[in-house]
Amino acid sequence: MKILYSLLLMIMLPLMAWGSDVFTSQTVMNTGVDVAGCFMRRCPDVGAKSYVGGKERNSKIWTRSVFYEGLLNMYREEQRPEWLKYTLDWAEFHNWVSSEDNEARAQNADYQCVGQSYLQLYQMEPEDKRRMEHIRMRMDEMMATGRTDYWTWIDAIQMSMPVLALLGDITGDGEYHDYMYRSYIYTRDYQGGSKKGGGQPLFNESTGLWYRDYQFDPPYRDLVEHDKDCYWSRGNGWVYMALARVLQFTSEDEKHRQEYIDDFVAMSRALKDCQREDGSWNVSLAAPSNFGQPGSEGPEMTGSSLFVGGMAYGVNIGLLDRETYLPVIEKGWEAMHNAVHADGYVGYMQGTGSKPEDGGVITYNSEPDFEDFGFGCWLWGAAEVHSLLVALEGEESGVNNVAADVTLPADNAYYDLYGRRVENPAAGQLYIHNRRLVVK
């Protein structure tokens, strides 16, 4: 069946009225394989520590954790054994520990990010309780403090919020979702101002964009275009990615889901209007002439990949209008594709920092201080584009027609093409899963 389906798509793809030569699911997957392989070759030792800036860091810090988020998102689309082995080897190396005691004291989201991959791996093998025990203990410790003001910078929303969403989904305990919501709202509405927790919002509802932390609230302005607010691209990308992942990891009856959707849609509208002509986004969203440090060439892939992936997810599940956003996604994917070198290395990645001017000069050939999270952002976005294109190609080829009138839930069950639930799906057969056409 898998071979027949692939042949059908090969026949139909040249006949499709939409899409460029590179805007196909096969091209996205092929490029994703190159990108993942490039990083795995550059970092064959999953336990290797880094020493950027003379500081020793272990390989489960947030930068590496984001890479595995992206890799597992690609693994969802195509189950390559080497991807799963690389991820499991990393988790086993760290004994499924999320943070050491000294790292956990401040409840820093940077040391919680690893839990997203651990919990997704737990979902694959729920008999292995080690995969969730430690991160659950750490998040329980944070919740027990009663404080909801830990996410003092918007990057933390992505590092921590999906962990709580996953725990709520896995355990059925609504306390995780309630705490997640209260923490999100505090950061959204009260974390900004003249100091941390100054009572002002970090999310500007009038623009649909986020200030990175209280230091970038007005009167702070963009350093190049002084009449513009400063909305850092990757910071907004972190929130956008987090909202998409929270929606993926929570059920449709989660009581705050519509509020997350409203923010996701508002951000989508704003981000669409900030896209560059070449399909990418600047490091500074409201300032088209701010490319970052002098010598930077304009495009920036860590934020761009998250925006493209988030929009692809939004169109795929019906939150965003296809006619409006598909051209944005196509241009964005072309920019992502064009940023990849022949060996799979991703160009135009901004290094670590907190504002448009941080992270070094950004060019096609530049290498940031940490490349792992940049690869992860790219892979995460590519996986969502792939998922969308598989669905679109299925529609064009007529494969989905037999189930066109069937409304199915976005759950973990498998359904045949007539919409009937299949309790024991067979390997290699075509099914509908989470409202997508998949091969088991």
Side-chain angles (χ1 to χ4, degrees), residues 64-177:
R64 189 61 51 82
S65 301
V66 171
F67 171 78
Y68 287 101
E69 288 178 56
L71 189 63
L72 285 175
N73 218 32
M74 287 297 295
Y75 182 78
R76 179 197 68 196
E77 297 300 302
E78 184 168 305
Q79 291 74 54
R80 288 181 164 256
E82 68 270 23
W83 292 348
L84 183 58
K85 182 181 186 302
Y86 190 72
T87 308
L88 285 171
D89 286 350
W90 166 72
E92 290 287 356
F93 176 86
H94 292 294
N95 296 312
W96 304 91
V97 169
S98 56
S99 58
E100 311 304 328
D101 289 343
N102 64 313
E103 295 171 333
R105 288 193 187 102
Q107 310 295 346
N108 189 323
D110 287 351
Y111 302 105
Q112 299 167 350
C113 184
V114 62
Q116 297 187 47
S117 296
Y118 288 176
L119 291 170
Q120 286 188 271
L121 291 167
Y122 169 78
Q123 289 178 312
M124 297 180 196
E125 194 172 323
E127 297 79 16
D128 189 352
K129 303 300 182 184
R130 298 176 306 142
R131 301 184 178 195
M132 73 170 290
E133 285 175 346
H134 194 270
I135 185 60
R136 183 179 186 182
M137 178 266 290
R138 289 298 189 213
M139 302 309 278
D140 287 350
E141 288 177 344
M142 180 171 72
M143 291 167 59
T145 69
R147 289 177 51 188
T148 57
D149 60 351
Y150 291 114
W151 301 344
T152 59
W153 72 114
I154 60 175
D155 314 32
I157 295 175
Q158 140 60 18
M159 307 308 162
S160 186
M161 191 174 177
V163 178
L164 292 163
L166 277 160
L167 283 170
D169 181 59
I170 290 169
T171 66
D173 186 346
E175 286 298 313
Y176 292 107
H177 289 157

Side-chain angles (χ1 to χ4, degrees), residues 402-403 406 408 413-423 431-432:
V402 291
V406 179
L408 299 176
Y414 287 83
Y415 299 84
D416 66 18
L417 299 184
Y418 295 96
R420 298 171 300 200
R421 187 179 179 118
V422 178
E423 297 300 333
Y431 297 102
I432 300 170

